[in-house]
Amino acid sequence: MRPDYDPLDDPPWAMQLVVRAEKADPPGHGAVCEAAATAVVRLLTDPRAVGGEWRDAVREWESRRIRKVTRRARGVRWPEAAALPGVTVEHAGAQVRAFPPGPVSDVPPQLAKLQVAGLDLADGEPAPAPEPPYAAIALNPDVTITTGKAAAQCGHAAQLLLRQGRRRDVAAWVEAGAAVRLVRDVPWRDGVKRATIAVRDGGFTEVPPGTMTAIAWIVRE
């Protein structure tokens, strides 16, 4: 966040994440979290974000709080959303699309009509661990959050890892496709010691401000 930023001066900005969640065959909680995190990284490393038409929007957003809003789409709403510029990741039965950030007061109507609250999915069988390098993300087991919130927190973790991780490791991870694994077999305290970054929530929804929601590190081998 830039030093001269006052949240009262500007409308807040956010990156919109849309999860495809059909009634008949919804994706699993973990798969959505992993797909969301990868989608965020792939958008931020897309040529359109690095030096193209999304560059200014990404820079403006990253100078503020890196808010993310997770929405649910089903039926015809999914292709309507997918027609907008963005990056879609399909992973383990989940489909998540990340969109270039912008003011929360100026969300495209195809996205604004999509439901924000209440996206809470059952957890399926964990996907096999990807080949290294990949990002390991762990969610705080002492914090209860919905799938929508968890997907946003995993997106935050992946973004912070992209920006703050060791340059050589990050470059290898991105080049390999920016795969993410939601870690469940590492005790939280051990994970915190191992982590490169930690996400502390802004407190806009579901948890108090400053809550540590997620941690992340890159697995090299």
Side-chain angles (χ1 to χ4, degrees), residues 174-200:
V174 171
E175 185 176 356
V180 171
R181 181 188 179 211
L182 193 60
V183 176
R184 310 158 192 265
D185 55 356
V186 175
W188 177 250
R189 289 185 179 181
D190 293 344
V192 170
K193 293 177 182 178
R194 183 183 304 183
T196 303
I197 63 90
V199 177
R200 293 192 177 275

Side-chain angles (χ1 to χ4, degrees), residues 116-209:
V116 175
L119 178 60
D120 207 9
L121 302 167
D123 212 354
E125 286 294 320
E131 290 294 321
Y134 63 86
I137 297 179
L139 292 167
N140 190 337
D142 296 325
V143 176
T144 300
I145 53 178
T146 63
T147 301
K149 181 74 170 181
Q153 300 308 298
C154 288
H156 294 335
Q159 180 176 355
L160 292 174
L161 193 60
L162 174 70
R163 298 309 194 203
Q164 300 176 15
R166 187 179 179 185
R167 185 170 299 178
R168 183 174 63 183
D169 293 342
V170 168
W173 170 46
V174 171
E175 185 176 356
V180 171
R181 181 188 179 211
L182 193 60
V183 176
R184 310 158 192 265
D185 55 356
V186 175
W188 177 250
R189 289 185 179 181
D190 293 344
V192 170
K193 293 177 182 178
R194 183 183 304 183
T196 303
I197 63 90
V199 177
R200 293 192 177 275
D201 193 68
F204 295 106
T205 60
E206 298 192 25
V207 298

Side-chain angles (χ1 to χ4, degrees), residues 19-23 72-81 114:
V19 178
R20 186 177 188 181
E22 303 291 347
K23 288 183 178 180
R72 181 186 70 193
R74 59 169 58 118
V76 70
R77 301 302 187 197
W78 172 253
E80 288 178 351
L114 301 178

Side-chain angles (χ1 to χ4, degrees), residues 1-66:
M1 186 182 299
R2 64 176 186 258
D4 62 344
Y5 172 62
D6 184 340
L8 298 179
D9 291 341
D10 303 295
W13 282 48
M15 173 184 283
Q16 305 292 322
L17 301 173
V18 174
V19 178
R20 186 177 188 181
E22 303 291 347
K23 288 183 178 180
D25 188 23
H29 171 92
V32 165
C33 290
E34 291 168 346
T38 297
V40 169
V41 174
R42 290 187 184 173
L43 186 144
L44 293 175
T45 56
D46 188 286
R48 291 168 289 182
V50 175
E53 60 265 36
W54 300 345
R55 180 186 178 189
D56 290 346
V58 168
R59 285 190 169 188
E60 183 66 24
W61 171 59
E62 288 194 314
S63 73
R64 295 166 156 82
R65 297 181 186 273
I66 53 169

